[in-house]
Amino acid sequence: MNKIEFKKTSNIFVNTGIVALHRYLKRFDTLEKHTFGEIKNELLPDKLIIENENLLELLEEVYYYMGREVYDTVTLEQEENVKSIKDCNLYYDTQKDTFIPFPRIRSYGFPLLLTNGRPKNTKKENNQKTLKKLREENKDLANSFIEEFKKNKLKLGSIIYFDEAYTTIPRLEKPKQEYFINDGIKARTCALTGEEYKKLININNNSPFIKLQGIQNFSSFFNTSSLEISWKSMFVIRFSPTIAMYSYFKGSDNPKDLYDNFITFFLNSNNLVNINSLYSDEFFYTIDELKHLKPPFKRNCRFASFKYSKDHVGDINKNLGDDAFNFDELTFILIYSFFKKHFENEFDEIDVNSANN
């Protein structure tokens, strides 16, 4: 298999995920030194076409590449803690016979909602296991874990890791031929897209958010017994947080409930190319900028700022998002920010032309 197509649907998560996959694949091909050779990554109004000689391996590589940047959030402080082996985690390198420190990774905003905060898993399934199981298999190595964490005054959880740090993006289900074919025999219908394939994926093993809201609210193919989606739908939905704009806000007067609510925004249009054109990289903080922020993270997107004069002494820049406390205010600010980025220059040119005439 060296070609795959992701078709536009009526589902906002699927369409956003398709556009996000296109953007991230382009990023991967441009910025990373890879061995996949030529990659065809063509976004059309009604579908995305990807071609490569090692297609499935490429999709898996880009999936975890995206997950490390979008789902996994690490601060500078957490990175510094790794250097001093303080308030961090450890995995065991089986080749070097040593323990490697890595930061305690978290996710925020829409990635957290999409996964319900549950996955903390390694890319390879056999690279993690419970401490209890390790005790049964290799008591000496289990004791080594306990002693190493104790020596460094670190908290040892019930799950331990080998040869890689965990990630917060769900482990990718290995693709099978049945996920991509429809031979007309006992074909099953995807609850999100209506496409038919020989084999689907159980929604219970994916996002509870998609199960409760994504299918019931956004699919005309939903029924009480239809809780399976295609591998392709699952794959692109997990890319949707890449361009999901989120912002936390305070939902109560309790000072302890700091940023206990958040809102996520998606931009939509009548075709995939238009959706892609709506999103500007300037909307989002870069990875390095997020690292400099301290938890709890307010948002992953930049809101417009404006200047005002206080007591007629100089101009003060004010970020509009700093004074937003509810859904309506954040929605208005997002629309205003979108206008500033996409249309302000056009209106300025109209004003200049009008003045000249």
Side-chain angles (χ1 to χ4, degrees):
M1 179 175 175
N2 57 18
K3 179 180 178 181
I4 192 170
E5 294 185 359
F6 297 92
K7 296 180 180 179
K8 179 184 178 296
T9 71
S10 59
N11 185 283
I12 184 69
F13 302 116
V14 173
N15 292 342
T16 302
I18 292 173
V19 171
L21 171 59
H22 167 70
R23 293 164 70 101
Y24 237 91
L25 188 56
K26 185 177 180 180
R27 173 184 172 87
F28 175 80
D29 194 20
T30 303
L31 300 181
E32 298 300 312
K33 295 180 179 180
H34 61 77
T35 59
F36 290 99
E38 184 179 355
I39 300 172
K40 180 180 179 180
N41 175 24
E42 185 179 8
L43 185 68
L44 301 173
D46 61 338
K47 61 185 174 181
L48 169 65
I49 303 173
I50 301 173
E51 291 186 53
N52 186 259
E53 290 300 319
N54 298 291
L55 178 63
L56 297 181
E57 291 84 352
L58 171 64
L59 294 179
E60 181 178 20
E61 188 72 18
V62 173
Y63 176 83
Y64 286 108
Y65 175 71
M66 176 275 298
R68 292 291 185 190
E69 292 192 349
V70 177
Y71 284 72
D72 298 349
T73 307
V74 178
T75 65
L76 284 179
E77 181 180 359
Q78 288 170 324
E79 288 186 342
E80 290 299 318
N81 287 341
V82 169
K83 297 177 183 179
S84 57
I85 315 182
K86 171 188 173 185
D87 191 26
C88 61
N89 213 325
L90 304 171
Y91 69 80
Y92 178 67
D93 189 317
T94 57
Q95 297 296 319
K96 298 180 179 179
D97 187 26
T98 187
F99 288 89
I100 308 297
F102 68 94
R104 297 190 181 278
I105 304 167
R106 290 192 60 186
S107 57
Y108 294 88
F110 190 63
L112 179 64
L113 178 64
L114 194 64
T115 63
N116 203 27
R118 293 185 302 181
K120 283 187 178 179
N121 44 248
T122 51
K123 182 178 177 180
K124 295 182 179 179
E125 188 172 358
N126 59 357
N127 280 348
Q128 72 179 72
K129 62 182 61 181
T130 64
L131 182 60
K132 180 181 179 181
K133 186 174 182 179
L134 182 62
R135 279 196 180 113
E136 297 171 354
E137 297 175 351
N138 190 332
K139 188 175 181 180
D140 290 339
L141 183 55
N143 288 334
S144 295
F145 266 95
I146 295 171
E147 289 301 319
E148 190 70 20
F149 274 78
K150 184 177 180 180
K151 180 181 72 175
N152 291 289
K153 298 180 180 179
L154 300 175
K155 183 180 179 181
L156 177 62
S158 59
I159 307 296
I160 53 179
Y161 305 97
F162 300 86
D163 295 326
E164 60 174 309
Y166 67 72
T167 177
T168 58
I169 192 171
R171 184 180 293 117
L172 183 63
E173 290 81 352
K174 291 293 183 182
K176 304 174 183 178
Q177 185 179 7
E178 294 90 341
Y179 289 148
F180 306 103
I181 62 174
N182 177 8
D183 55 10
I185 303 174
K186 295 184 178 179
R188 306 175 72 87
T189 303
C190 172
L192 289 178
T193 66
E195 293 179 308
E196 294 186 338
Y197 295 101
K198 192 171 183 178
K199 187 176 179 63
L200 300 177
I201 292 176
N202 194 317
I203 195 66
N204 292 319
N205 296 328
N206 289 270
S207 168
F209 171 73
I210 294 298
K211 176 182 176 181
L212 297 176
Q213 280 80 29
I215 290 182
Q216 294 185 22
N217 294 344
F218 294 97
S219 176
S220 58
F221 305 102
F222 175 77
N223 60 65
T224 55
S225 62
S226 181
L227 290 176
E228 293 182 318
I229 60 175
S230 68
W231 187 93
K232 293 199 301 182
S233 294
M234 172 276 300
F235 185 76
V236 293
I237 282 172
R238 291 178 183 172
F239 273 82
S240 60
T242 301
I243 50 177
M245 295 169 285
Y246 69 81
S247 180
Y248 282 89
F249 63 94
K250 191 171 169 52
S252 72
D253 295 328
N254 189 335
K256 294 183 179 180
D257 295 335
L258 187 62
Y259 308 128
D260 57 338
N261 290 270
F262 80 90
I263 180 173
T264 294
F265 302 96
F266 292 96
L267 302 176
N268 201 8
S269 186
N270 62 335
N271 69 64
L272 298 175
V273 174
N274 287 346
I275 294 174
N276 186 44
S277 68
L278 296 176
Y279 287 94
S280 166
D281 289 337
E282 296 177 358
F283 268 125
F284 303 94
Y285 289 117
T286 65
I287 297 170
D288 287 337
E289 287 174 324
L290 284 174
K291 286 181 179 179
H292 282 82
L293 301 177
K294 291 184 178 180
F297 293 98
K298 279 189 177 181
R299 66 185 69 92
N300 71 334
C301 52
R302 305 174 194 272
F303 286 137
S305 60
F306 66 94
K307 291 183 179 181
Y308 70 95
S309 179
K310 185 177 181 181
D311 298 328
H312 306 287
V313 182
D315 288 335
I316 298 175
N317 278 302
K318 184 67 176 177
N319 190 310
L320 289 175
D322 292 341
D323 287 332
F325 298 102
N326 59 48
F327 173 87
D328 293 332
E329 291 175 351
L330 286 167
T331 302
F332 171 79
I333 291 170
L334 177 73
I335 295 172
Y336 177 71
S337 300
F338 181 80
F339 162 78
K340 292 271 288 184
K341 291 185 183 297
H342 284 271
F343 301 111
E344 186 177 42
N345 292 337
E346 294 182 19
F347 277 85
D348 288 343
E349 291 178 4
I350 292 174
D351 291 340
V352 171
N353 292 333
S354 297
N356 291 334
N357 294 330

